[in-house]
Amino acid sequence: MTIDLDAPGSSGLLDASSRREISFLSNMYVLGLTLTAGIGGLLFGYDTGVISGALLYIRDDFKAVNDSSVIQETIVSMAMVGAIIGAAGGGWINDVYGRKKATLVADVVFIIGSLVMCAAPDPYILILGRLFVGLGVGVASVTAPVYIAEAAPSEIRGGLVATNVLMITGGQFLSYLVNLAFTEVPGTWRWMLGVAAVPAVVQFCLMVFLPESPRWLYMKDKKSEARVVLEKIYNSDRLEEEIDQLAAAAMQDLESRKRSVSYMDVFKSKEMRLAFFAGAGLQAFQQFTGINTVMYYSPTIVQMAGFASNQLALLLSLIVAAMNAAGTVVGIVLIDRCGRRRLALFSLSGVLVSLVILSLAFILQSSCNSNNQILSLGFCSSGIGWFAVVGLALYIACFAPGMGPVPWAVNSEIYPEAYRGVCGGMSATVNWISNLIVAQTFLSIVELVGTGGTFMIIAGIAVLALLFVYIFVPETKGLTFEQVERIWKERAWGSEASSSGSSQKLLEYVA
Ligand code: BGC
């Protein structure tokens, strides 16, 4: 395989087009569509954040839950199991039935799940509700980025997809606030879990009025409908350019359009394997570099760092969630300026440094607890606790603008049209499986090698992630989908083979 580190720039085929100058705030139609689709991200974030708080009260209401940590773990992780299934199946729904129907289905399933949880008479019905909600979140996690990316002008595509990630991190922040707000209300957890149906209902109603993705329509031979949508996004010159590109892409994808792409097809072509490897790898590294460890366990981390008060721990975790959301805004601004690759590399470097700081803080602290000699050297002051908190803050500040949005943005844009749903779904599944693995193993690994050791392991993973991005992830900033497709052809077959291959297909099509 040729490793082409500056892939986009290296190809004469990939010169950015002229007149690509739409700004993030200048196209209200696309922004409105993004925010509506982004409600899927809000549900994703809210649901993953709310359960930790709700669980405290569910335990009070159901003795069976209080007595069994297995039931507690099942309540928490069943949504992730649902999301794994939802993301995998959602990719297929996206390709066959379209992005709009996939969103509507996700909403209905989510609403049912929220209501079931809200009314659950026993923990088992509650677990069923969690499964439904997870299915909805899983479908939404693959649909929203793809729907947004396909409506977005290429020069602001990254920022718009990152807006969906802002809705995720915003949703997490909101869930922490809701957890606090409902503590005094009778029926606490039923409200916390049931209230999520409201944004899903809102999204359902708004989506009814939004169009199907223009790219999906075009690929399904509904060209005039696609044109009507594109006319709302582009002025007349740019409109023709976009339609020409769609026509060219449709020619390329002719064979795959005749039948639906299956999951196995992804592994049959070399360029698809390369693209999927890059996309799924990014998703896995997003999770294995520990973001949800930090999110789920930030109160524990803060307490481990020596701050005993519950209130301070909760407050700090609220700050962590707020920083995560604020950092995502920085990502929205940077992703189409710096590019995905550079942003991910900077982000991972900072994540690496902060993980080392966290690790050292915990290692020093445990030495302090067990070794008086070090104590006398003066290492052991309350300063170590703050050192850990600085590591935590630095981690979020570095992760949020880069490794938070980049994997979602890259996965929404690196696959050819016919594969976009299936591959996006499979790599979102990788994200959810990795998320589950990290959540289920973090505390056991801490028991085995200590907190410091665990963060050192995660730091090691961050080094691998840096190498991975450097080697396998091409820059896709500002490129059209068709230009991105050519990157994979070049990587798979070399630049000459790729261009002669496409002209061959073009000739076949014309003939
Ligand atoms: C990830 C989530 C994570 C969130 C918080 C997202 O990009 O996919 O798993 O909880 O960011 O930063």
Side-chain angles (χ1 to χ4, degrees):
M1 190 190 82
T2 341
I3 295 169
D4 188 357
L5 295 180
D6 271 326
S10 72
S11 167
L13 294 167
L14 299 178
D15 295 335
S17 163
S18 55
R19 286 176 286 103
R20 301 202 167 275
E21 54 206 16
I22 298 177
S23 68
F24 188 83
L25 294 173
S26 70
N27 193 318
M28 284 301 146
Y29 182 75
V30 175
L31 197 57
L33 182 148
T34 300
L35 293 176
T36 307
I39 295 178
L42 187 80
L43 300 176
F44 173 162
Y46 181 83
D47 185 70
T48 49
V50 79
I51 193 63
S52 53
L55 197 61
L56 301 175
Y57 302 96
I58 297 172
R59 278 204 308 231
D60 290 345
D61 276 8
F62 297 126
K63 191 173 173 305
V65 180
N66 201 23
D67 293 347
S68 154
S69 55
V70 174
I71 299 186
Q72 288 177 32
E73 277 163 12
T74 314
I75 292 175
V76 175
S77 47
M78 195 44 92
M80 270 191 237
V81 173
I84 290 170
I85 303 169
W92 176 82
I93 300 178
N94 261 275
D95 281 346
V96 178
Y97 298 103
R99 299 24 172 155
K100 179 172 171 168
K101 289 207 181 94
T103 310
L104 294 173
V105 167
D107 283 329
V108 171
V109 178
F110 191 94
I111 293 165
I112 296 174
S114 304
L115 298 181
V116 167
M117 291 192 303
C118 180
D122 61 50
Y124 307 100
I125 303 284
L126 181 63
I127 289 170
L128 185 72
R130 292 283 295 158
L131 180 68
F132 269 77
V133 159
L135 285 169
V137 167
V139 177
S141 71
V142 30
T143 309
V146 164
Y147 182 59
I148 295 170
E150 288 185 340
S154 53
E155 60 272 41
I156 52 169
R157 190 177 55 229
L160 289 172
V161 177
T163 304
N164 183 52
V165 180
L166 174 62
M167 302 288 268
I168 301 178
T169 50
Q172 286 169 336
F173 178 69
L174 193 72
S175 71
Y176 283 47
L177 285 181
V178 167
N179 279 351
L180 284 175
F182 281 116
T183 47
E184 302 298 326
V185 179
T188 42
W189 61 269
R190 295 189 187 274
W191 284 104
M192 289 173 176
L193 300 177
V195 84
V198 176
V201 171
V202 171
Q203 186 182 46
F204 187 94
C205 297
L206 292 175
M207 271 314 287
V208 171
F209 298 101
L210 280 176
E212 181 47 86
S213 148
R215 288 194 154 257
W216 185 85
L217 286 170
Y218 201 95
M219 292 295 157
K220 295 286 168 188
D221 270 336
K222 298 182 178 169
K223 295 187 181 145
S224 51
E225 284 177 51
R227 193 180 176 96
V228 172
V229 183
L230 289 169
E231 274 167 0
K232 296 197 179 122
I233 304 172
Y234 300 107
N235 64 25
S236 51
D237 286 357
R238 178 79 179 265
L239 177 70
E240 295 314 322
E241 194 184 311
E242 293 291 326
I243 289 183
D244 287 350
Q245 280 167 2
L246 267 175
M251 267 180 225
Q252 298 274 325
D253 277 343
L254 199 60
E255 278 162 39
S256 0
R257 278 194 302 136
K258 285 190 199 139
R259 56 191 172 87
S260 314
V261 163
S262 79
Y263 291 94
M264 285 322 289
D265 287 336
V266 175
F267 301 98
K268 287 184 189 150
S269 97
K270 190 171 176 195
E271 55 257 47
M272 287 314 303
R273 282 200 300 273
L274 288 176
F276 180 65
F277 182 64
L282 264 176
Q283 291 286 29
F285 279 120
Q286 182 198 59
Q287 295 299 320
F288 285 114
T289 44
I291 177 60
N292 287 312
T293 306
V294 174
M295 296 297 294
Y296 296 156
Y297 298 103
S298 61
T300 325
I301 291 174
V302 171
Q303 283 180 337
M304 283 189 216
F307 299 93
S309 135
N310 267 344
Q311 262 181 329
L312 183 61
L314 272 177
L315 183 70
L316 280 169
S317 56
L318 196 68
I319 295 175
V320 167
M323 278 186 68
N324 200 14
T328 319
V329 177
V330 178
I332 294 175
V333 175
L334 293 181
I335 195 164
D336 290 310
R337 292 192 169 79
C338 304
R340 289 67 165 139
R341 213 173 105 85
R342 198 174 307 161
L343 195 55
L345 290 172
F346 276 128
S347 170
L348 282 167
S349 313
V351 160
L352 173 60
V353 172
S354 36
L355 284 167
V356 171
I357 293 179
L358 272 171
S359 170
L360 290 179
F362 282 101
I363 291 172
L364 277 176
Q365 198 199 31
S366 69
S367 316
C368 289
N369 294 342
S370 59
N371 187 341
N372 284 333
Q373 241 187 335
I374 295 183
L375 204 142
S376 63
L377 288 174
F379 281 122
C380 300
S381 63
S382 67
I384 291 179
W386 282 108
F387 193 44
V389 172
V390 167
L392 195 71
L394 187 68
Y395 177 97
I396 294 290
C398 296
F399 181 94
M403 279 309 276
V406 167
W408 294 109
V410 167
N411 274 284
S412 72
E413 64 192 10
I414 56 170
Y415 308 114
E417 184 65 35
Y419 290 83
R420 195 163 297 130
V422 163
C423 288
M426 283 179 6
S427 62
T429 306
V430 169
N431 181 297
W432 286 109
I433 293 177
S434 314
N435 190 336
L436 188 63
I437 296 175
V438 172
Q440 297 295 317
T441 55
F442 177 74
L443 287 182
S444 333
I445 300 180
V446 166
E447 265 172 40
L448 220 68
V449 295
T451 318
T454 309
F455 281 118
M456 208 41 107
I457 294 176
I458 306 181
I461 296 176
V463 173
L464 295 179
L466 266 168
L467 289 171
F468 179 87
V469 173
Y470 190 70
I471 298 172
F472 296 111
V473 179
E475 183 52 73
T476 43
K477 170 184 114 178
L479 299 181
T480 64
F481 286 114
E482 293 67 36
Q483 289 170 324
V484 177
E485 260 188 64
R486 266 176 262 161
I487 292 181
W488 299 116
K489 292 209 166 89
E490 283 190 14
R491 287 195 168 198
W493 311 109
S495 52
E496 279 181 23
S498 105
S499 52
S500 65
S502 12
S503 16
Q504 181 61 33
K505 275 202 183 137
L506 223 105
L507 286 174
E508 281 166 17
Y509 183 76
V510 174

Coordinates of all heavy atoms in Angstrom, one line a residue, residues 44-45 48 165 168-169 172 283 286-287 291-292 295-296 324-325 328 396 399-400 403-408 431-432 435, ligand 1:
F44 N -29.0 11.5 22.0 CA -27.8 10.7 22.2 C -27.1 11.1 23.5 O -26.9 10.3 24.4 CB -26.9 10.8 21.0 CG -25.5 10.2 20.9 CD1 -24.8 10.1 19.7 CD2 -24.8 9.8 22.1 CE1 -23.6 9.5 19.7 CE2 -23.5 9.3 22.0 CZ -22.9 9.2 20.8
G45 N -26.8 12.4 23.6 CA -26.1 12.9 24.7 C -26.9 12.9 26.0 O -26.4 12.5 27.0
T48 N -27.2 9.3 27.3 CA -26.0 8.7 27.9 C -25.7 9.4 29.2 O -25.1 8.8 30.1 CB -24.8 8.7 27.0 OG1 -24.7 10.1 26.5 CG2 -24.9 7.8 25.8
V165 N -22.3 17.0 17.0 CA -21.5 16.6 18.2 C -21.7 17.6 19.3 O -21.8 17.2 20.5 CB -20.0 16.4 17.8 CG1 -19.3 16.0 19.1 CG2 -19.9 15.3 16.7
I168 N -24.6 16.6 21.0 CA -24.3 15.5 21.9 C -23.8 16.0 23.3 O -24.3 15.7 24.3 CB -23.3 14.5 21.3 CG1 -23.8 13.9 20.0 CG2 -23.0 13.3 22.3 CD1 -22.8 13.0 19.3
T169 N -22.7 16.8 23.2 CA -22.1 17.3 24.4 C -23.0 18.2 25.2 O -23.1 18.2 26.4 CB -20.7 18.0 24.1 OG1 -20.9 18.9 23.1 CG2 -19.7 17.0 23.6
Q172 N -25.4 16.1 27.0 CA -24.9 15.5 28.2 C -24.9 16.6 29.3 O -25.2 16.3 30.5 CB -23.4 15.1 28.0 CG -23.4 13.7 27.2 CD -22.0 13.4 26.7 OE1 -21.1 14.2 26.5 NE2 -21.8 12.1 26.4
Q283 N -13.2 5.8 15.0 CA -14.3 5.7 16.0 C -13.8 4.9 17.2 O -14.1 5.2 18.4 CB -15.5 4.9 15.4 CG -16.2 5.8 14.3 CD -17.1 6.9 14.9 OE1 -16.8 7.4 16.0 NE2 -18.1 7.2 14.3
Q286 N -11.5 7.0 19.3 CA -12.2 8.0 20.0 C -12.6 7.5 21.4 O -12.5 8.2 22.4 CB -13.5 8.5 19.3 CG -14.2 9.6 20.0 CD -15.6 9.8 19.6 OE1 -16.5 8.8 19.7 NE2 -16.0 11.0 19.1
Q287 N -13.1 6.3 21.4 CA -13.6 5.7 22.7 C -12.4 5.2 23.5 O -12.4 5.4 24.7 CB -14.6 4.6 22.4 CG -15.8 5.1 21.8 CD -16.6 6.1 22.6 OE1 -16.7 5.9 23.8 NE2 -17.1 7.1 22.0
I291 N -12.6 9.1 26.5 CA -13.5 10.2 26.8 C -14.6 9.8 27.7 O -15.0 10.6 28.7 CB -14.1 10.8 25.4 CG1 -15.1 11.9 25.8 CG2 -14.8 9.7 24.6 CD1 -14.6 13.1 26.5
N292 N -15.3 8.7 27.5 CA -16.4 8.4 28.4 C -16.0 7.9 29.8 O -16.8 8.1 30.7 CB -17.3 7.4 27.7 CG -18.1 8.1 26.6 OD1 -18.6 9.2 26.8 ND2 -18.1 7.5 25.4
M295 N -15.9 11.2 31.3 CA -17.3 11.7 31.5 C -18.0 10.9 32.6 O -18.6 11.5 33.5 CB -18.1 11.6 30.2 CG -17.6 12.5 29.1 SD -17.7 14.2 29.4 CE -19.4 14.5 29.5
Y296 N -18.0 9.6 32.4 CA -18.8 8.8 33.4 C -18.2 8.9 34.8 O -18.9 8.8 35.8 CB -18.8 7.3 33.0 CG -19.5 7.0 31.7 CD1 -19.2 5.8 31.0 CD2 -20.5 7.8 31.2 CE1 -19.9 5.5 29.8 CE2 -21.2 7.5 30.0 CZ -20.8 6.3 29.3 OH -21.4 6.0 28.1
N324 N -16.6 20.4 27.9 CA -16.7 19.5 26.7 C -17.6 20.2 25.6 O -17.2 20.2 24.4 CB -17.3 18.2 27.2 CG -17.0 17.1 26.2 OD1 -16.1 17.2 25.3 ND2 -17.7 16.0 26.3
A325 N -18.7 20.8 26.0 CA -19.6 21.4 25.1 C -18.9 22.7 24.5 O -18.9 22.9 23.3 CB -20.9 21.8 25.7
T328 N -16.3 21.8 22.0 CA -16.9 21.3 20.7 C -17.1 22.6 19.8 O -17.0 22.5 18.6 CB -18.2 20.5 20.9 OG1 -18.0 19.7 22.0 CG2 -18.5 19.7 19.7
I396 N -10.0 17.4 28.6 CA -11.3 17.8 28.0 C -11.0 18.9 27.0 O -11.5 18.9 25.8 CB -12.3 18.3 29.0 CG1 -12.7 17.1 29.9 CG2 -13.5 18.9 28.4 CD1 -13.6 16.1 29.2
F399 N -9.5 17.2 24.0 CA -10.3 16.2 23.3 C -11.5 16.8 22.6 O -11.8 16.5 21.4 CB -10.8 15.2 24.3 CG -11.7 14.1 23.7 CD1 -11.1 12.9 23.3 CD2 -13.0 14.3 23.5 CE1 -11.9 11.9 22.7 CE2 -13.8 13.3 22.9 CZ -13.2 12.1 22.5
A400 N -12.1 17.7 23.3 CA -13.4 18.2 22.8 C -13.4 18.8 21.4 O -14.2 18.5 20.5 CB -14.0 19.2 23.8
M403 N -10.9 15.1 18.8 CA -11.3 13.7 18.8 C -12.8 13.5 19.1 O -13.3 12.5 18.8 CB -10.4 12.8 19.7 CG -9.1 12.4 19.1 SD -9.2 11.7 17.5 CE -9.6 10.0 17.9
G404 N -13.4 14.6 19.6 CA -14.9 14.5 19.7 C -15.6 14.5 18.3 O -16.2 13.6 17.9
P405 N -15.4 15.6 17.6 CA -16.1 15.7 16.3 C -15.5 15.1 15.1 O -16.2 14.6 14.2 CB -16.2 17.3 16.1 CG -15.1 17.9 16.9 CD -14.9 16.9 18.1
V406 N -14.1 15.0 15.1 CA -13.5 14.5 13.9 C -13.9 13.1 13.4 O -14.3 12.9 12.3 CB -11.9 14.6 14.0 CG1 -11.2 13.8 12.9 CG2 -11.5 16.0 14.0
P407 N -14.0 12.1 14.3 CA -14.4 10.8 13.8 C -15.8 10.8 13.2 O -16.1 10.2 12.2 CB -14.4 9.9 15.1 CG -13.5 10.5 16.0 CD -13.6 12.0 15.8
W408 N -16.7 11.6 13.8 CA -18.1 11.6 13.2 C -18.1 12.3 11.9 O -18.7 11.9 10.9 CB -19.1 12.3 14.2 CG -19.3 11.5 15.4 CD1 -18.8 11.8 16.7 CD2 -20.0 10.3 15.6 NE1 -19.2 10.9 17.6 CE2 -19.9 9.9 16.9 CE3 -20.6 9.4 14.7 CZ2 -20.5 8.7 17.4 CZ3 -21.2 8.2 15.1 CH2 -21.1 7.9 16.5
N431 N -18.0 2.3 17.3 CA -17.9 3.3 18.4 C -18.7 2.8 19.6 O -18.1 2.9 20.7 CB -18.5 4.6 17.8 CG -18.4 5.8 18.8 OD1 -19.1 5.7 19.9 ND2 -17.7 6.8 18.5
W432 N -19.9 2.3 19.4 CA -20.7 1.9 20.5 C -20.1 0.7 21.2 O -20.1 0.6 22.5 CB -22.1 1.6 20.1 CG -22.9 2.9 19.8 CD1 -23.3 3.4 18.6 CD2 -23.4 3.9 20.8 NE1 -24.0 4.6 18.7 CE2 -24.0 4.9 20.1 CE3 -23.3 4.0 22.2 CZ2 -24.6 6.0 20.7 CZ3 -23.8 5.1 22.8 CH2 -24.5 6.1 22.0
N435 N -17.2 1.8 23.2 CA -17.8 2.6 24.4 C -18.2 1.6 25.5 O -17.8 1.8 26.7 CB -19.0 3.4 23.9 CG -19.5 4.3 24.9 OD1 -19.3 4.2 26.1 ND2 -20.3 5.4 24.4
Ligands
BGC1 C1 -18.7 10.5 21.5 C2 -19.4 10.2 22.7 C3 -19.0 11.0 23.9 C4 -19.1 12.5 23.5 C5 -18.6 13.3 24.6 C6 -18.9 12.0 21.2 O1 -18.2 12.4 20.1 O2 -19.0 9.8 20.4 O3 -19.2 8.8 23.0 O4 -19.7 10.8 25.0 O5 -18.4 12.7 22.3 O6 -17.6 14.1 24.3

